[in-house]
Amino acid sequence: MARAESTQDRGAARLAAGPEIISGPAAAGAPPKQRSARRKRIELAILLGPPLILFIGFVFVPMIFAIWYSLYNWNGYGPLSDFIGLQNYQGVVTGSVFHQALLHNIIIAVLSVVIQLPISIGLALLLNRRMRGQTALRLAVFTPYVLSQATTAVMWSMLLSHGGPVDSLLKSVGLAALIHFWLASTSLVLYTLFFVVTWQFIGFGIVLLLAGLQGIPPELREAAAIDGASSWQITRRIMLPLLGPTIRIWIFLAVIGSLQLFDIVWIMTLGGPANASQTMLTYLYFNGAERTQFGYGATVSVVLFIISFVFALAYQRYALRRDTAGALTRAVG
Amino acid sequence: MTVLSAARGRGHADTAARRRTWITRPGTYLVILFVLAITLVPMLYLILSGFRTTGQLGSNPNGLPHPWVWSNYASILESAVFWQAVLNSAIIAVVATALAMVLGSMAAFALSRYTFRGRDGLFLCLRPGCCSRSIPPPCRCS
């Protein structure tokens, strides 16, 4: 502890050194060490105060409210009077629809990593080459990500409607056998939605990975090429390992995004047909807002939060540890 | 000096390789065409659909609009509600970006440049908090 204190003081002294010189002789009252400690505390309060107030007000307080509501049988109106303890939690955890929803989220998350990631890496490697029209191509690939999720959902609802453009395209190229009820078939709807999600978000992955690729010094590739490595070996042994941190961050964002899938699903299918595309958030919204069981909805949100939080902590602890190790500057002094 | 000239020599040698060139391999070309088609055609269809009436969308969803209906786009651009919505979005975008930039960089500076008790704990609390916006506002009805 004593050691930590002394490092802190040294850090503070160094930080305060700049302004100290300016105001030097005028502040001869307090001993310098004490003064700089107080100064540091004031600076920290100014820097951390406003963000913390916002964070507490908009993240922590609503969370506490959600936990509180989850203990009541409440329809969103009137006072909280019907305290039912953990009954809501029992209902969520044992409910078969919630299990289905959770399973759907997990399927989307796994499919994202297994299908979106290789496509993203492939296209990023392709777009990383120097060629004509590179900028236009990157722009085109990124465009869907800029659309609002609501726009994407409405657009694909139109495209995938029965007898719509997708169906007639398939028919015109002689693949009429492939035509299905894309959004009305219980066995297919989840994968249709996964396709739409992929369509929208793959551009983000590609741009992220392109940024990662651009951070790789070209000398490494050149050196390997001079040593006689084939382009596959360069990709496999040099580019992919150096892309590791970017890929791990992408996986994190993709899984968290999959767990919180809502807008596209709600607009395109409302979680149906027969709960076949229910996700945890559509289940939450359906119970909370549509059936006005706000207590139950709050319970789903708490359970979803716990799942996301545990995943986030575990992932950061085990997968991102090396990548974020330098994020905090250890012992400034 | 020798190092410099060597570097320059090398730079000269691979400018040919580095220059942007047309894609020559047909496979790559096909992949790019496919990606472009699957990305852009749906959006093009959406834009075209704006030139149909609801009736036309139902009876003939494919092909070009016939006849072209301009009133959809015109009425949106004339609608006061639409411009109010644009203004609302713009206000949210500007205020949210400004707040996130200013407050975020303040907190980031404090967390990375100062040492104080509880810093690592605070960092841990903030990080997953922003990555998972899990708990939506509990009541949207008021």
Side-chain angles (χ1 to χ4, degrees):
Chain A
M1 203 59 224
R3 216 186 75 84
E5 289 291 336
S6 74
T7 0
Q8 273 178 26
D9 288 344
R10 252 189 295 148
R14 215 187 73 157
L15 264 167
E20 199 77 14
I21 293 163
I22 301 163
S23 64
K33 207 170 183 182
Q34 206 181 328
R35 243 186 51 78
S36 67
R38 181 153 42 100
R39 193 199 186 92
K40 189 181 99 169
R41 229 170 282 142
I42 294 171
E43 285 170 358
L44 273 177
I46 293 172
L47 286 173
L48 279 177
L52 269 185
I53 290 171
L54 262 191
F55 190 75
I56 290 169
F58 286 100
V59 178
F60 274 112
V61 172
M63 272 162 68
I64 303 297
F65 270 105
I67 294 171
W68 190 39
Y69 292 150
S70 71
L71 301 175
Y72 286 87
N73 179 17
W74 187 49
N75 63 7
Y77 305 94
L80 290 166
S81 51
D82 191 3
F83 183 85
I84 53 170
L86 293 177
Q87 236 170 285
N88 279 331
Y89 286 90
Q90 204 183 355
V92 170
V93 173
T94 58
S96 66
V97 180
F98 181 77
H99 291 167
Q100 262 177 285
L102 176 61
L103 180 68
H104 294 155
N105 282 115
I106 292 172
I107 290 175
I108 297 279
V110 170
L111 284 179
S112 297
V113 175
V114 174
I115 294 178
Q116 282 180 16
L117 184 60
I119 297 177
S120 299
I121 294 175
L123 286 177
L125 286 169
L126 184 69
L127 290 177
N128 195 39
R129 290 202 210 155
R130 295 180 162 264
M131 56 188 175
R132 298 259 170 122
Q134 193 180 34
T135 318
L137 215 55
R138 287 181 186 177
L139 193 68
V141 165
F142 193 61
T143 323
Y145 182 72
V146 181
L147 294 183
S148 123
Q149 288 193 42
T151 311
T152 308
V154 170
M155 183 181 86
W156 279 104
S157 299
M158 283 162 61
L159 287 164
L160 292 166
S161 62
H162 191 56
V166 171
D167 287 0
S168 38
L169 178 72
L170 285 176
K171 204 183 282 174
S172 67
V173 295
L175 292 170
L178 282 181
I179 293 176
H180 287 92
F181 291 106
W182 303 110
L183 292 168
S185 147
T186 49
S187 55
L188 209 62
V189 63
L190 193 64
Y191 304 100
T192 310
L193 289 172
F194 173 72
F195 169 80
V196 176
V197 171
T198 306
W199 183 86
Q200 170 144 44
F201 290 105
I202 201 148
F204 175 72
I206 291 171
V207 168
L208 200 71
L209 290 166
L210 263 176
L213 282 173
Q214 248 132 59
I216 299 175
E219 288 79 9
L220 293 176
R221 258 179 296 168
E222 283 165 16
I226 289 168
D227 287 346
S230 68
S231 66
W232 164 248
Q233 281 171 324
I234 293 177
T235 305
R236 173 72 192 80
R237 302 283 171 198
I238 294 175
M239 306 300 262
L240 281 187
L242 287 172
L243 263 187
T246 316
I247 292 175
R248 285 191 285 272
I249 281 285
W250 181 87
I251 292 177
F252 179 75
L253 294 175
V255 172
I256 288 291
S258 305
L259 288 177
Q260 297 176 0
L261 189 59
F262 177 74
D263 310 40
I264 289 176
V265 179
W266 188 254
I267 292 170
M268 290 184 78
T269 68
L270 294 168
N275 295 324
S277 62
Q278 202 79 259
T279 66
M280 285 190 282
L281 268 181
T282 59
Y283 183 67
L284 185 165
Y285 193 74
F286 176 68
N287 282 289
E290 300 283 302
R291 293 173 64 198
T292 63
Q293 296 286 321
F294 277 86
Y296 193 81
T299 313
V300 180
S301 76
V302 174
V303 173
L304 171 56
F305 174 75
I306 292 170
I307 293 172
S308 304
F309 194 67
V310 167
F311 167 76
L313 280 188
Y315 195 79
Q316 298 198 339
R317 174 80 180 74
Y318 294 108
L320 296 181
R321 192 177 32 183
R322 275 181 303 162
D323 304 336
T324 52
L328 290 179
T329 326
R330 294 275 154 210
V332 177
Chain B
M1 205 54 227
T2 46
V3 177
L4 250 184
S5 59
R8 201 178 298 145
R10 194 190 62 178
H12 188 74
D14 58 20
T15 38
R18 290 222 171 177
R19 203 167 27 208
R20 295 183 176 198
T21 49
W22 289 104
I23 306 147
T24 44
R25 279 196 283 178
T28 321
Y29 200 61
L30 277 178
V31 170
I32 287 173
L33 262 187
F34 177 75
V35 170
L36 276 183
I38 209 168
T39 312
L40 296 181
V41 169
M43 288 188 277
L44 196 64
Y45 177 79
L46 191 70
I47 295 169
L48 280 181
S49 295
F51 292 102
R52 302 173 212 261
T53 62
T54 314
Q56 284 172 319
L57 263 180
S59 60
N60 178 25
N62 314 316
L64 290 175
H66 180 79
W68 289 68
V69 178
W70 293 88
S71 58
N72 292 332
Y73 284 104
S75 66
I76 286 174
L77 293 179
E78 285 164 9
S79 144
V81 179
F82 174 72
W83 291 109
Q84 180 67 52
V86 170
L87 183 67
N88 292 346
S89 297
I91 290 172
I92 291 176
V94 170
V95 173
T97 309
L99 273 181
M101 284 300 295
V102 173
L103 297 181
S105 48
M106 279 160 66
F109 183 79
L111 283 170
S112 63
R113 287 291 166 193
Y114 288 71
T115 40
F116 54 92
R117 218 172 304 158
R119 183 188 67 172
D120 290 8
L122 188 66
F123 190 53
L124 259 187
C125 281
L126 288 172
R127 242 181 347 169
C130 55
C131 291
S132 60
R133 40 161 188 113
S134 295
I135 299 199
C139 183
R140 296 195 185 186
C141 56
S142 53

